Amino acid sequence: MEEGKEDRKINKYSCACSVVASMISIIFGYETGVTSGAMIFIKEDLKINDVQVQVFAGIVNFCALVGALSAGRTSDYIGRRYTISLASTIFLLGSLLMGFAPSYAVLLIGRCVAGIGVGFALVIAPVYSAEISATNTRGILASLPEIGISLGILLGYISNYFFSKLALNIGWRIMFFMATIPSIGLAFGILRMPESPRWLAIQGRLRDAKHVLIKVSNTKEEAQSRLQDIKLAIGIDADCNDDFVTLKENTRGKGVWKELLLRPTPPVRWVLLAAIGIHFFEHATGIEAVVLYGPRIFKKAGVTTNDKLLLANIGVGVTKTIFITASTFFIDKAGRRKLLLTSVGGIIIALLGLGFALTIVHQSHDQKVVWALWLSIATCYIYVMFFSIGLAPITWVYSSEIFPLKLRAQGASIGVAVNRVTNATVSMTFLSLVNAITIGRAFFMFAGMAVLAWIFFFFFLPETKGRSLEEMEQVFTRVKKSRNVDVELQTGNKGVQVP
C-alpha cells in the first residue's frame, strides 16, 4: 500500500524541472495578453487602421510556423534543454525590438521575431515536461506549460491596466519591455536543469539517461522500469547495461518527415490525425477572438471607458488561470477524453449564449440593454471557463504524449504549425468577420465549429490516461481492434471486418 502511494507522489525534482521549462510559456502568454490591451494605445499612437491592427495581432502566428517547424528538428539535434534556452533568447530580441520600435514597420519586425520564439516555445515546453515526468503524473506536469500561458496572459492584462496610466508613447512600450526580464532569467536558468532522459537515451547515452531518471523518479525501481521501457521503445535490449551504445538508426531527426507524412504506419497516421485535429479545433472554436480582442467584444457589448474595458479583460485572465490550474488536478484522475468532451459541450452552450446576447445588443441600435450587457460578459467568462477546464490543457498534454519517441518532437511541431495557422486565421480575420456578418453571428459560427470538434473528439481520440509514452502506438492500434470486436459482437457475424 505504501509503495502504491509512493508511486503516485509527484516527484519534486521533476515538478521543478517542468515549472522552469514552463516559464517559456509564461513569456509567450504575456506577449499574447499584453498585445490585447496594447493595441488600443498602439493604434492611437502610431495612427494605424483596423487592417494593420489585425496584421499586427495575427502575424506572430505565421512567423511561429517557422519556429514550430524548426523546433522539432532543432531539439532532436541539440537537445530539449538548449532549445528552450534558444527560444528565450529569441523572445528577448523580439521584445526589445517592439519596445524600441519607432514605426509600425519595426514593430512588425519585432512581432515576427517574437513569433519565431512562440513556435519554439509551443513545441518544446510540453515535450520536455512530458518526457521528464512519470506516467501517473504526466497529465499534471505536461499541462504546466498551458498554466504558464494562462498566467502570462493574466500578467499581460494586468500590465495593460497599470501601464495605461503612463504617457501614450511610453506605456505600451514598457508593456513589451517587461517580457525581457523572464526571458533573460530563463535563458540561463534552464541550463541548470537536466536534459530529457528520453533524448539522452535516443542518443545512446544510457548512463546519463539513468542518472536523470533516478532524480525524476520516486524510487530506483521506478527509474529502472522507465529506463527499460525507453530502451525497448528505441530498439535496445532491455538487459543492456552499457553506459553508451551506438544506435543503428539515425538519432538526429533525419528521415522523420518521411515516416510521419510519406510512409506512416496505420497507428502513426491515426496519431497524426488526432494531433492535427485537436490543435485545429483549439483555435477554430474562437478562443483567440476572446483573448486577443476582449476589449473590442466588451465595447460592442456596451462597456465604454478604457479602464473598464481593461478591467473586464483582467476578468478573462483570472477566469482562465483559475480554471486551467484546477483542471490539471483532474487530468490524471478523470482522464483526457472525459474532460475534453465535457469542456467542448460547455463551450457550445456558452458560445450560443454569447452569440445571442451580442446579437440583442447589436439590434438594439445603440440603446443600452443592461441584461444583454451582463449576459455577454457572463457567457464570455463561462466560455473561457469551459475552454480552460479541458480543451486548453489537454490539447498540449495529448499531442505531446501520443507520438512515438523518434517522431515526438517533429510530430508535435506539425500539430503546433496547424495550431498557429488556425490561430492566425482567427486573429487576422475576426474584425473583418465582425464587420461582414456582425459579432453575434461570428460567435454562432464558432459554436458550429465547436459542435464539429465534439464529434471529432468522440470518434477519433482514444483515452491515454495511465499509459506510458512507450505504449502510445499500441493504444492507437488496440483501440482500433477493440472497435472491430465491438462491431462483430453487435452484428453477430465474426466475419465482419471494419476498415
Side-chain angles (χ1 to χ4, degrees):
M1 188 71 176
E2 290 300 320
E3 186 179 346
K5 290 181 179 178
E6 186 73 19
D7 289 340
R8 288 193 295 271
K9 284 173 56 180
I10 296 178
N11 180 273
K12 292 179 181 178
Y13 188 71
S14 64
C15 184
C17 293
S18 296
V19 168
V20 173
S22 299
M23 281 182 63
I24 191 71
S25 301
I26 295 177
I27 300 168
F28 160 55
Y30 178 85
E31 291 278 4
T32 302
V34 85
T35 299
S36 175
M39 287 191 296
I40 299 173
F41 309 106
I42 291 172
K43 183 178 181 181
E44 186 179 349
D45 186 27
L46 300 182
K47 311 298 184 211
I48 59 177
N49 56 40
D50 275 351
V51 173
Q52 290 173 306
V53 168
Q54 287 183 127
V55 170
F56 174 71
I59 200 169
V60 67
N61 296 298
F62 283 119
C63 296
L65 278 175
V66 178
L69 294 175
S70 303
R73 182 67 179 274
T74 302
S75 67
D76 281 344
Y77 194 81
I78 66 174
R80 317 312 195 205
R81 187 176 54 156
Y82 287 116
T83 304
I84 293 175
S85 184
L86 175 62
S88 301
T89 305
I90 296 172
F91 264 127
L92 173 63
L93 180 58
S95 299
L96 289 173
L97 283 171
M98 285 190 286
F100 282 116
S103 64
Y104 178 71
V106 177
L107 190 65
L108 274 187
I109 293 172
R111 185 81 167 151
C112 283
V113 172
I116 295 173
V118 167
F120 272 91
L122 290 175
V123 171
I124 197 59
V127 168
Y128 179 84
S129 296
E131 291 187 346
I132 209 81
S133 56
T135 299
N136 62 322
T137 58
R138 189 175 63 244
I140 186 170
L141 294 185
S143 63
L144 286 178
E146 185 62 29
I147 295 178
I149 292 174
S150 298
L151 180 59
I153 288 172
L154 175 58
L155 292 174
Y157 289 162
I158 294 172
S159 175
N160 286 154
Y161 181 75
F162 285 103
F163 291 122
S164 66
K165 316 294 183 185
L166 300 177
L168 179 63
N169 65 334
I170 294 175
W172 66 266
R173 297 177 188 278
I174 295 180
M175 293 175 193
F176 288 118
F177 273 137
M178 293 299 292
T180 62
I181 299 172
S183 297
I184 295 171
L186 180 58
F188 293 101
I190 192 65
L191 299 180
R192 297 179 63 87
M193 297 294 104
E195 183 51 84
S196 159
R198 286 174 169 84
W199 183 83
L200 291 170
I202 207 170
Q203 306 308 309
R205 296 163 56 182
L206 298 183
R207 181 183 179 184
D208 294 337
K210 183 177 180 180
H211 286 169
V212 174
L213 283 170
I214 289 173
K215 289 183 179 180
V216 299
S217 301
N218 289 324
T219 63
K220 287 186 178 181
E221 290 75 17
E222 179 191 338
Q224 186 62 35
S225 175
R226 290 171 67 180
L227 182 60
Q228 286 183 338
D229 288 342
I230 294 169
K231 286 191 288 188
L232 288 173
I234 61 179
I236 299 175
D237 190 334
D239 296 324
C240 176
N241 293 316
D242 295 344
D243 291 342
F244 182 87
V245 297
T246 302
L247 300 180
K248 294 180 181 179
E249 294 185 18
N250 184 278
T251 59
R252 296 290 186 177
K254 292 182 180 179
V256 169
W257 291 117
K258 291 182 181 179
E259 292 187 44
L260 277 171
L261 302 176
L262 300 181
R263 294 192 297 271
T265 62
V268 169
R269 189 183 299 118
W270 189 355
V271 164
L272 187 61
L273 175 65
I276 289 174
I278 196 169
H279 275 288
F280 170 77
F281 283 116
E282 184 190 26
H283 288 287
T285 50
I287 188 61
E288 203 64 16
V290 173
V291 169
L292 205 52
Y293 295 108
R296 294 285 189 118
I297 295 171
F298 295 131
K299 191 171 185 178
K300 289 277 187 182
V303 180
T304 52
T305 66
N306 282 347
D307 269 4
K308 289 180 180 178
L309 288 171
L310 295 176
L311 281 173
N313 222 27
I314 289 175
V316 171
V318 169
T319 303
K320 197 172 189 302
T321 304
I322 289 174
F323 284 96
I324 208 165
T325 302
S327 73
T328 59
F329 296 100
F330 297 100
I331 288 178
D332 288 315
K333 294 179 181 178
R336 285 62 157 154
R337 183 178 166 85
K338 188 181 294 184
L339 272 182
L340 192 59
L341 294 175
T342 302
S343 168
V344 178
I347 285 172
I348 294 169
I349 296 170
L351 284 173
L352 289 173
L354 181 57
F356 170 73
L358 290 171
T359 298
I360 295 297
V361 172
H362 177 75
Q363 294 177 348
S364 66
H365 303 295
D366 297 328
Q367 294 181 358
K368 197 165 185 177
V369 183
V370 178
W371 69 265
L373 164 63
W374 285 108
L375 181 60
S376 298
I377 295 174
T379 50
C380 186
Y381 287 176
I382 291 170
Y383 164 56
V384 172
M385 178 191 77
F386 275 108
F387 177 82
S388 300
I389 64 170
L391 186 54
I394 292 171
T395 294
W396 301 98
V397 172
Y398 201 85
S399 61
S400 67
E401 68 185 2
I402 58 178
F403 285 99
L405 178 55
K406 182 183 176 183
L407 310 179
R408 185 168 301 133
Q410 295 189 46
S413 72
I414 293 176
V416 171
V418 172
N419 186 287
R420 293 299 92 191
V421 169
T422 313
N423 187 314
T425 302
V426 174
S427 302
M428 299 181 77
T429 61
F430 180 68
L431 296 182
S432 300
L433 184 67
V434 167
N435 292 333
I437 66 172
T438 75
I439 192 168
R441 289 176 181 172
F443 282 101
F444 283 138
M445 185 192 75
F446 290 138
M449 295 302 298
V451 172
L452 294 178
W454 195 96
I455 295 170
F456 178 86
F457 297 154
F458 182 83
F459 286 104
F460 292 102
L461 270 63
E463 182 58 73
T464 58
K465 168 192 169 187
R467 308 304 292 267
S468 72
L469 294 179
E470 288 67 40
E471 292 177 305
M472 288 303 167
E473 198 166 353
Q474 298 173 11
V475 168
F476 280 80
T477 304
R478 287 176 180 174
V479 171
K480 188 172 182 180
K481 287 180 180 178
S482 69
R483 286 181 178 169
N484 291 349
V485 172
D486 288 343
V487 173
E488 289 170 6
L489 290 174
Q490 290 170 9
T491 59
N493 183 358
K494 293 185 179 180
V496 173
Q497 294 294 322
V498 179

